[in-house]
Amino acid sequence: MSIIRQGSLFSLEELYDLEPTHRFEEVFSTVDIYPILVVVSKKSVYGAPVELNYPAMIYSLVARITERIPTIKDLIKRLKNDFIFRLDCGFLLSDDVPSEASYSRMAAKLSESDVLEKVQEKLLIQAISEGFIQDHNIAIDSTHIAARDQAPPKEEKVEPKPKKRGRKTKAEHEQWLVEKAEQEANATIYEKTIEDQLDITLEELRISTPLTPEWGVKKNSAGKNVFWFGYKSHLAVGTERQYILQSMLSSGSQNDGKAAIPLLKGLQERLPNFLVKHAIMDSGYDYAAVYKQVSRIRAQSVIAYNKKNESEPVGFDKHFAPTCVREHSYKYDSFDAKYESLKYTRPKECKDCPLAHDSLCQSVYKIRIKTDLRRYTAPARGSQAWKNVYKERSSVERVIGYLKSYFQLNNIRYRTGKKAKFHFDLVTLVYNASKLASDRINHRLQEVQEAA
């Protein structure tokens, strides 16, 4: 008697336990390579005839990620020595194994195009239509990626000249204003404030993303600064199904908060049928403009608050819940979506308080979240409901772990930013393709189980 595996238990790790031939078939079937072929194929009928099997080359790049083959040189060696692997990638017996130069030229063509982003968008739309993406919450976070180039020495800080005491002369002040205006006029979108991104189109934000490898810094779990030279990957992940819904690569020095608005706009424009209920982020994204963009896509922000040397408002606690005369915090009750207001009820400590029936201590307190989008969110800060939603942020950390452990996110072998982005887009595409392949296997196993 055969044993039928329960479909719900089939995971991404088990996809890697399949025989390579079956695994390749499942993953390849989820990727529409036709748009990629349009970019890399020869456009003219003149010149030398094309002898390369471009579909097989594309599939071999996907297989390189899933098989964790470190370099193109190792991929070519595997194609030459492993006959089954070569056939699995789609090469014919009469095909020659492409050279490193051929793969390099194809990578150069793809790095000048956004075709991988479009193929990924189509894959996600297909996953939504098949019912595999039913998330309503997204989690956004970033992770560092070391560059292939040797890191240059960090520039030593030059001690600024001591400021001249006293007020500037009129001429000096005018000169300072001119220099400041020139700096602001020449600043790129990502050198300006996060608020300046709100009215910039998604296409312009994507094109202007800095891709030069640079020194970056972030705090580790021990609270110490960790430096690296390279890039940052920014991901928006569905918290339930853990698909990468939006992604972008930037320089290592890029502020995390400046990637949130492009990711949120990408969700709204590229996946219009995907409705976000909560956008979950850590305190690195605690900027007023990010809350405003979340509100624009009709979602609620669940972002850890960063005090930034701010004092607590009088009459409210550290979570901005109102307090009574004796400074007991009101309890969050519910959220009224119609009026976009939070409802708080009288604290239990006020039950026997002599001021309970006084006009100074009201029984119900309502606050509209638009009063201050940064302080007032639904569910309310400090409530158990808010904490439960915020716990879902671990999903994006889990996805980052998958990308680094299984999909070679840390293995950027290219020296230019555009080719590094090509590698990053390929990695996220293969990850989503593997997720869709795993979900399709689950669905088939469930059908077999139900029919048995």
Side-chain angles (χ1 to χ4, degrees):
M1 180 178 177
S2 60
I3 300 175
I4 300 175
R5 184 196 302 270
Q6 293 183 4
S8 59
L9 297 179
F10 193 90
S11 63
L12 194 62
E13 292 92 336
E14 289 178 290
L15 178 67
Y16 276 75
D17 291 336
L18 294 176
E19 289 294 327
T21 300
H22 297 153
R23 181 168 68 251
F24 294 150
E25 289 176 355
E26 296 291 345
V27 175
F28 293 166
S29 66
T30 65
V31 181
D32 179 16
I33 67 167
Y34 179 75
I36 304 176
L37 289 174
V38 173
V39 173
V40 301
S41 298
K42 186 180 177 183
K43 303 296 186 295
S44 174
V45 296
Y46 301 103
V50 176
E51 298 179 354
L52 297 174
N53 187 337
Y54 283 119
M57 289 178 69
I58 295 170
Y59 284 136
S60 66
L61 288 178
V62 175
R64 178 193 160 221
I65 300 298
T66 61
E67 290 291 285
R68 305 169 207 167
I69 301 174
T71 65
I72 295 296
K73 183 177 181 179
D74 292 325
L75 173 64
I76 293 172
K77 185 177 180 180
R78 174 81 177 269
L79 288 170
K80 288 181 178 179
N81 297 333
D82 191 336
F83 182 73
I84 302 299
F85 177 74
R86 185 174 169 184
L87 293 178
D88 288 339
C89 291
F91 287 100
L92 303 176
L93 295 175
S94 57
D95 291 333
D96 293 329
V97 175
S99 63
E100 286 188 66
S102 299
Y103 277 106
S104 179
R105 285 192 294 268
M106 186 169 72
K109 289 182 180 179
L110 293 175
S111 65
E112 296 294 332
S113 169
D114 63 349
V115 65
L116 292 182
E117 293 183 18
K118 293 180 178 179
V119 171
Q120 176 128 248
E121 179 183 339
K122 187 174 181 181
L123 185 149
L124 290 170
I125 292 174
Q126 182 64 30
I128 292 173
S129 66
E130 294 182 22
F132 297 131
I133 299 180
Q134 298 178 344
D135 308 63
H136 295 292
N137 297 343
I138 63 162
I140 294 178
D141 203 357
S142 66
T143 186
H144 66 279
I145 307 173
R148 176 67 173 166
D149 287 342
Q150 183 177 359
K154 294 170 64 176
E155 296 181 0
E156 296 183 1
K157 291 185 178 180
V158 179
E159 292 293 333
K161 294 181 180 180
K163 292 183 179 179
K164 184 180 177 181
R165 299 185 67 178
R167 297 179 61 182
K168 292 184 176 70
T169 63
K170 185 177 180 180
E172 289 175 338
H173 183 68
E174 290 178 353
Q175 178 64 25
W176 177 79
L177 291 175
V178 170
E179 292 176 355
K180 184 178 179 181
E182 288 179 354
Q183 289 177 356
E184 292 178 353
N186 296 327
T188 64
I189 294 173
Y190 287 91
E191 291 174 341
K192 296 179 180 179
T193 63
I194 297 178
E195 285 74 12
D196 292 321
Q197 295 182 349
L198 287 169
D199 297 322
I200 304 296
T201 63
L202 174 63
E203 182 179 2
E204 193 172 353
L205 288 171
R206 286 285 189 172
I207 293 174
S208 305
T209 305
L211 289 173
T212 306
E214 293 179 358
W215 280 103
V217 58
K218 70 183 304 182
K219 289 188 181 296
N220 59 15
S221 57
K224 296 183 179 180
N225 289 334
V226 178
F227 296 90
W228 82 95
F229 179 76
Y231 308 94
K232 261 188 184 179
S233 66
H234 308 271
L235 306 174
V237 174
T239 59
E240 183 181 350
R241 305 300 302 176
Q242 297 177 20
Y243 279 85
I244 300 174
L245 303 174
Q246 286 293 297
S247 60
M248 62 183 289
L249 186 74
S250 71
S251 299
S253 60
Q254 185 66 43
N255 184 300
D256 289 357
K258 291 186 177 180
I261 291 179
L263 293 175
L264 292 168
K265 286 190 175 186
L267 281 170
Q268 185 180 29
E269 296 184 22
R270 296 183 173 181
L271 300 175
N273 295 328
F274 180 80
L275 302 178
V276 181
K277 185 176 180 181
H278 296 107
I280 310 164
M281 306 170 224
D282 62 25
S283 59
Y285 299 87
D286 182 29
Y287 295 92
V290 176
Y291 291 90
K292 191 171 183 179
Q293 182 60 41
V294 173
S295 179
R296 285 184 177 183
I297 66 173
R298 301 182 180 278
Q300 299 295 333
S301 304
V302 179
I303 305 175
Y305 194 80
N306 188 347
K307 280 189 175 183
K308 301 177 182 177
N309 298 322
E310 300 172 358
S311 58
E312 295 180 6
V314 178
F316 297 86
D317 65 10
K318 64 180 181 180
H319 298 300
F320 309 107
T323 57
C324 67
V325 177
R326 294 188 172 183
E327 297 187 354
H328 296 302
S329 299
Y330 276 66
K331 183 180 179 181
Y332 170 68
D333 181 83
S334 60
F335 172 67
D336 188 337
K338 181 179 180 181
Y339 297 100
E340 295 186 324
S341 62
L342 303 172
K343 179 183 177 181
Y344 293 88
T345 56
R346 180 180 288 161
K348 62 181 180 179
E349 292 87 352
C350 296
K351 182 178 180 181
D352 300 324
C353 179
L355 299 175
H357 302 289
D358 194 286
S359 59
L360 296 175
C361 189
Q362 59 194 73
S363 60
V364 175
Y365 208 113
K366 292 186 178 181
I367 302 176
R368 299 196 67 181
I369 62 174
K370 288 188 176 180
T371 304
D372 191 330
L373 290 173
R374 184 164 167 249
R375 291 181 173 179
Y376 301 111
T377 63
R381 292 186 180 277
S383 65
Q384 189 59 47
W386 188 95
K387 294 176 182 177
N388 290 338
V389 175
Y390 188 74
K391 287 179 182 178
E392 297 182 21
R393 197 184 69 84
S394 62
S395 60
V396 67
E397 297 173 346
R398 193 175 298 113
V399 171
I400 289 172
Y402 274 127
L403 293 178
K404 290 187 173 183
S405 300
Y406 291 94
F407 296 91
Q408 302 193 62
L409 181 62
N410 280 331
N411 187 28
I412 292 182
R413 312 296 297 188
Y414 302 104
R415 299 186 183 277
T416 65
K418 287 187 176 181
K419 285 191 175 181
K421 182 179 180 301
F422 155 71
H423 174 83
F424 173 73
D425 290 340
L426 181 63
V427 165
T428 54
L429 174 62
V430 174
Y431 170 83
N432 279 338
S434 300
K435 283 290 297 179
L436 182 54
S438 178
D439 285 341
R440 284 177 173 175
I441 293 173
N442 271 332
H443 183 66
R444 292 199 299 267
L445 291 173
Q446 286 180 347
E447 289 182 337
V448 171
Q449 187 177 16
E450 291 172 359

